[in-house]
Amino acid sequence: MEPHPVFKAGNTALITGAGIGGIGFEVAQRCRAHGMNLALVDNNSETLSKAKSLLGDEPSAKAYAKDVSRIDHWRDIKSDVEKCFGSLDLLMLNAGIGVKGGWEDTDYFHKARLPIMDTNLFGVINGISTFLSVIQQQTHPTAIVITGSKQGITNPPGNPAYNASKAAVKSLAEHLSYDLRSSSTSVHLLVPGWTFTGLTGGGAAKAKPDGAWAPAQVADYLQRKMAENIFYIICPDNDVTVEKDRKRMLWSVGDVVHERPPLSRWRDEYKTEAEEWMFKQKV
């Protein structure tokens, strides 16, 4: 299958969360293999520098140690990208962080608001508001990729602020896809499964768990689904199949349809029913 037409020599990709060891870096490698220019954004200057050293030197690769939650940083990035590359063809809004906590931590939502909502949600909003007009100036195929999370879809208990941020990202991506439906810009929501990255506790000194995918597998899956013009790119992993993901999502929306209490799959009184339903369900 031919790749999505945005993966073309001479095109420019801007990727946030592009530090070495993550999904953004792996996508950047695939862009580089197609001869694309790269604008790499990450707030971790060390991992960003390592990524850039492997991906190439200026002028075809630029690195920006910036905070995606700050609109002034985005303005600086835009100014330099337009000066260096003239335009933008692929925007991947991938930066994200996770801060765990719950209601028993009285400071959780105060602490969570800045790092989680500002990065995971407003990092996406800032990126779109800054570069959408630039991408829309193009007459050839372009693309926007937004990284979500299964936690923003099935909403498992234990990390409400993170889940809320990713649920909001899903909603934004859906509206963006609808609003650009008649344009030459395709929109894709990338939803990784269990992936061994820095966000999930990965690192050079640790071995990847058998159940997790490597970031390279997610990048390959993304490219394949973009070529098929798929919006919801729900990645499996070595523990959870595509079929199981679909059953879990169907059960979750069933809480609303069948008037069950929320998060019923994790409630003791529904666990047996949920397991039996998923065993019998065909998707």
Side-chain angles (χ1 to χ4, degrees), residues 7 13-20 22-41 48 51-52 54-56 60-62 90 92 94 215 219 222-223:
F7 294 104
L14 187 154
I15 302 170
T16 68
I20 194 168
I23 296 168
F25 171 73
E26 292 294 340
V27 173
Q29 284 193 306
R30 283 144 186 79
C31 291
R32 196 54 145 176
H34 286 282
M36 298 175 69
N37 302 315
L38 295 174
L40 308 172
V41 182
L48 181 63
K52 186 177 180 297
L54 293 173
L55 290 167
S60 59
K62 295 275 290 183
L90 171 61
M92 183 174 183
N94 170 70
L222 169 66
Q223 274 202 307

Side-chain angles (χ1 to χ4, degrees), residues 235-252:
C235 300
D237 52 51
N238 294 335
D239 273 351
V240 179
T241 64
V242 170
E243 181 183 29
K244 182 177 285 189
D245 269 331
R246 290 173 178 172
K247 290 179 179 180
R248 287 176 172 177
M249 288 184 281
L250 285 171
W251 180 269
S252 292

Side-chain angles (χ1 to χ4, degrees), residues 249-266:
M249 288 184 281
L250 285 171
W251 180 269
S252 292
V253 76
D255 285 351
V256 180
V257 175
H258 301 296
E259 299 182 331
R260 294 190 297 254
L263 312 187
S264 66
R265 183 159 65 91
W266 293 274

